[in-house]
C-alpha cells in the first residue's frame, strides 16, 4: 500500500473471491455459479442490436427491469431496488444502517460482511454458530444493531425457519434486518411476504446463482419503500448508471422464462441429493443444505489436502482457512456429469491415502 492511503485501510483484510485460474480447463465447483447457461430467451435478447446501443448510457432508474421484478414477485415497483450485483446492495446497507447502529452477524457466514464492517469501521458483534453449525435465532433477539443473516447460510447451506426470522425482525424494530437470500431458490424459504408487515426488513437477492448470470453482475432487493429510497439515495450519490444496458436486457428476459430456471434449480437439487448420498457412502460428514452447494469433511483427509489433490485432477472446490471450518470444503453442485467426475476423483484420492 502507498503512504497516501487513509490509515484506517492499512489493516483492512479485503474479501478474497473464489479462484478463477486460467492455466487449464477445470470443472469449477468452487464459486457457486450455475452449471447451466442463461435461458435461450436471454441469449436471443442480448444481440448485436443491443450491443450497438452500448454507445448510450443505461437507464439509471432501471424502470422496465424493476417493473418486471415487481410483477414476477407480486410487489410494488417502489419495493424494488436493483444493483451491480448483490454485494453492492450489502455495501449500501452497511453504509446506511451500520455506521451508527453497529452490526451483528455469524462467525461462519459470507465473508464480505466482515469486510464491509471493517471498511466502515463499524462496531461489530460476531455471534458463533451452534456446534451443529446452525444459527440460534434467540442470539439475535433485541440486539439494537443492524443484523445480517444469509438464509440459507454460506458456506454451510443451512436455513433458518421463517418464524425464527420473523422473531428476529419483530424484536429489533429500530434496526434494519438484512436477509441475504442469494441461495433461497434451491430449497430455502423466502421472507418476501414479510416486507409489508415490517418496515425494517431488507431482502437481498441475486441473478448470479439460480438465474445463471454471475458474469452479468445483477442484484436486486425488496423492502419497505422508505428503505428502498435510502438505497436509491446512496446509488445516485455514487454510481447512477450502476446496471449496464446489456445486464438490464438480460435481467428482463430471464423473467420471461421462469420455467427454464425452475427446472435448472430442480436439477441442481436432485444432483445435490445424489452427491450427498455418494459422499456419505465414502465416509464424508455432510451438513444439510438448502443451497446449490454442500459443506463436507472426511475423517481421513484434511480439508486443504482434499482441495489440493482435486485441483491437481482438474476439479476446483472451495477451502476455507478459519480454524473452526478448516477441515471442511464447500462443493458447488454442478451437472450430473460433473458430479460423477467429482465422485470418481475423490474415490481415487481416498484409495491413494
Amino acid at each position: 500500500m502507498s503512504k497516501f492511503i487513509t490509515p484506517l485501510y492499512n489493516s483492512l483484510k479485503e474479501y478474497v473471491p473464489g479462484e478463477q485460474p486460467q492455466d487449464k480447463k477445470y470443472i469449477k465447483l468452487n464459486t457457486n455459479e450455475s452449471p447451466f447457461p442463461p435461458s435461450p430467451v436471454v441469449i436471443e435478447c442480448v444481440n448485436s442490436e443491443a450491443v450497438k446501443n452500448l454507445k448510450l448510457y443505461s437507464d439509471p432508474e432501471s424502470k422496465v427491469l424493476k417493473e418486471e421484478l415487481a410483477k414476477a414477485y407480486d410487489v410494488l415497483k417502489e419495493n424494488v431496488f436493483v444493483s451491480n450485483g448483490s454485494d453492492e446492495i450489502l455495501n449500501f446497507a452497511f453504509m446506511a444502517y451500520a455506521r451508527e447502529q453497529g452490526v451483528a452477524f455469524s462467525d461462519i457466514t459470507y465473508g464480505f460482511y466482515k469486510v464491509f464492517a471493517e471498511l466502515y469501521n463499524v462496531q461489530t458483534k460476531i455471534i458463533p454458530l451452534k456446534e451443529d453449525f446452525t444459527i440460534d435465532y434467540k442470539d439475535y433477539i433485541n440486539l439494537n444493531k443492524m443484523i445480517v443473516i444469509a438464509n440459507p447460510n454460506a458456506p454451510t447451506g443451512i436455513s433458518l425457519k421463517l418464524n425464527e426470522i420473523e422473531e428476529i425482525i419483530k424484536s429489533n424494530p429500530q434496526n434494519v434486518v438484512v436477509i441475504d437470500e442469494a441461495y433461497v431458490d434451491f430449497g430455502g424459504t423466502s421472507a418476501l411476504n414479510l416486507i409489508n408487515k415490517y418496515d425494517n426488513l431488507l431482502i437481498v437477492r441475486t441473478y448470479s446463482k439460480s438465474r445463471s448470470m454471475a458474469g452479468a453482475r445483477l442484484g436486486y432487493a425488496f423492502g419497505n419503500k422508505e428503505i428502498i429510497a435510502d438505497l436509491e439515495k446512496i446509488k445516485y450519490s455514487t454510481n447512477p448508471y450502476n446496471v449496464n444496458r446489456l445486464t438490464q436486457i438480460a435481467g428482463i428476459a430471464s423473467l420471461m422464462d421462469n420455467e427454464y430456471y425452475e427446472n435448472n434449480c430442480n436439477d441442481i437439487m436432485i444432483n445435490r441429493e445424489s452427491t450427498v448420498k455418494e459422499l456419505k457412502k465414502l465416509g464424508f460428514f455432510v451438513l444439510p443444505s438448502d443451497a446449490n452447494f454442500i459443506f463436507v469433511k472426511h475423517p481421513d483427509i484434511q480439508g486443504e489436502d482434499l482441495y489440493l489433490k482435486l485441483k491437481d485432477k482438474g476439479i476446483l472446490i472451495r477451502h476455507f482457512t478459519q480454524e473452526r471450518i478448516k477441515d471442511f470444503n464447500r462443493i458447488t453442485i454442478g451437472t450430473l456429469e460433473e458430479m460423477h467426475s467429482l465422485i470418481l476423483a475423490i474415490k481415487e484420492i481416498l484409495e491413494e491415502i
Side-chain angles (χ1 to χ4, degrees):
M1 284 188 171
S2 77
K3 64 183 179 181
F4 306 106
I5 194 167
T6 300
L8 171 64
Y9 299 144
N10 275 323
S11 59
L12 181 66
K13 294 179 181 177
E14 65 270 30
Y15 178 72
V16 180
E19 60 187 319
Q20 305 277 356
Q22 307 294 321
D23 57 319
K24 63 180 181 181
K25 186 175 181 179
Y26 289 90
I27 294 176
K28 286 190 81 277
L29 306 176
N30 67 323
T31 49
N32 299 340
E33 297 144 317
S34 174
F36 304 111
S39 153
V41 177
V42 172
I43 295 170
E44 183 180 343
C45 287
V46 182
N47 53 33
S48 59
E49 192 62 34
V51 171
K52 288 178 184 177
N53 283 330
L54 287 177
K55 64 185 179 182
L56 304 173
Y57 282 114
S58 59
D59 172 16
E61 188 184 348
S62 298
K63 183 176 183 291
V64 178
L65 176 57
K66 285 181 185 176
E67 288 172 347
E68 293 303 324
L69 280 165
K71 192 185 307 178
Y73 290 96
D74 195 23
V75 297
L76 299 176
K77 179 173 167 254
E78 64 191 19
N79 298 127
V80 182
F81 179 77
V82 297
S83 66
N84 190 311
S86 60
D87 290 334
E88 184 174 64
I89 304 170
L90 296 170
N91 184 17
F92 289 175
F94 272 79
M95 290 173 66
Y97 307 118
R99 284 171 148 175
E100 298 296 326
Q101 304 172 356
V103 67
F105 48 81
S106 301
D107 63 334
I108 307 299
T109 191
Y110 182 34
F112 232 138
Y113 304 157
K114 188 174 182 180
V115 174
F116 286 137
E118 292 180 1
L119 180 66
Y120 296 117
N121 197 25
V122 169
Q123 184 184 38
T124 305
K125 181 178 180 65
I126 296 178
I127 301 173
L129 297 178
K130 295 195 291 185
E131 286 300 309
D132 62 358
F133 292 100
T134 60
I135 290 174
D136 187 342
Y137 80 95
K138 294 187 290 294
D139 290 336
Y140 294 84
I141 301 297
N142 299 319
L143 282 188
N144 196 33
K145 297 178 185 294
M146 183 177 97
I147 294 168
V148 187
I149 294 175
N151 196 53
N153 196 14
T156 67
I158 300 174
S159 293
L160 263 180
K161 296 175 182 176
L162 186 58
N163 67 299
E164 295 173 335
I165 290 174
E166 185 166 11
E167 287 299 315
I168 293 170
I169 298 166
K170 188 164 55 175
S171 74
N172 293 279
Q174 302 305 315
N175 307 91
V176 170
V177 177
V178 178
I179 304 298
D180 185 348
E181 294 186 348
Y183 302 101
V184 76
D185 291 331
F186 302 101
T189 301
S190 178
L192 178 60
N193 289 339
L194 298 178
I195 64 166
N196 292 322
K197 190 174 180 180
Y198 300 98
D199 65 1
N200 61 327
L201 172 60
L202 176 64
I203 294 173
V204 181
R205 305 283 295 269
T206 180
Y207 274 68
S208 293
K209 316 302 180 184
S210 61
R211 290 193 179 269
S212 305
M213 283 173 50
R217 310 310 303 132
L218 181 57
Y220 57 107
F222 302 115
N224 174 277
K225 67 178 182 179
E226 282 81 15
I227 283 184
I228 299 303
D230 294 341
L231 300 178
E232 293 285 357
K233 188 178 188 68
I234 295 175
K235 184 196 85 167
Y236 279 100
S237 301
T238 53
N239 182 14
Y241 303 103
N242 63 335
V243 181
N244 71 68
R245 295 183 68 90
L246 296 183
T247 293
Q248 289 187 36
I249 290 169
I252 294 163
S254 82
L255 296 171
M256 305 298 109
D257 201 1
N258 271 327
E259 185 178 357
Y260 173 84
Y261 294 104
E262 288 170 0
N263 290 337
N264 287 348
C265 289
N266 187 58
D267 286 345
I268 287 169
M269 288 187 279
I270 291 171
N271 295 347
R272 181 183 68 204
E273 298 316 307
S274 63
T275 302
V276 168
K277 185 176 179 180
E278 291 300 315
L279 288 174
K280 285 184 175 179
K281 286 181 185 177
L282 296 174
F284 278 86
F285 172 72
V286 186
L287 290 180
S289 175
D290 290 323
N292 68 335
F293 58 82
I294 50 178
F295 206 46
V296 309
K297 70 174 181 177
H298 196 282
D300 297 334
I301 185 169
Q302 293 181 342
E304 185 176 18
D305 288 345
L306 179 60
Y307 151 71
L308 291 172
K309 288 179 183 297
L310 282 171
K311 186 175 181 180
D312 285 342
K313 292 178 179 292
I315 299 174
L316 293 175
I317 61 175
R318 188 78 188 265
H319 178 67
F320 298 90
T321 58
Q322 287 172 263
E323 183 64 28
R324 195 174 173 192
I325 56 173
K326 66 180 182 180
D327 289 331
F328 282 84
N329 285 297
R330 191 192 69 194
I331 302 173
T332 302
I333 302 300
T335 64
L336 191 59
E337 293 75 20
E338 288 172 333
M339 304 321 288
H340 283 164
S341 296
L342 170 76
I343 296 299
L344 287 174
I346 289 176
K347 284 180 179 177
E348 292 175 359
I349 291 166
L350 293 178
E351 287 171 2
E352 290 168 4
I353 64 171

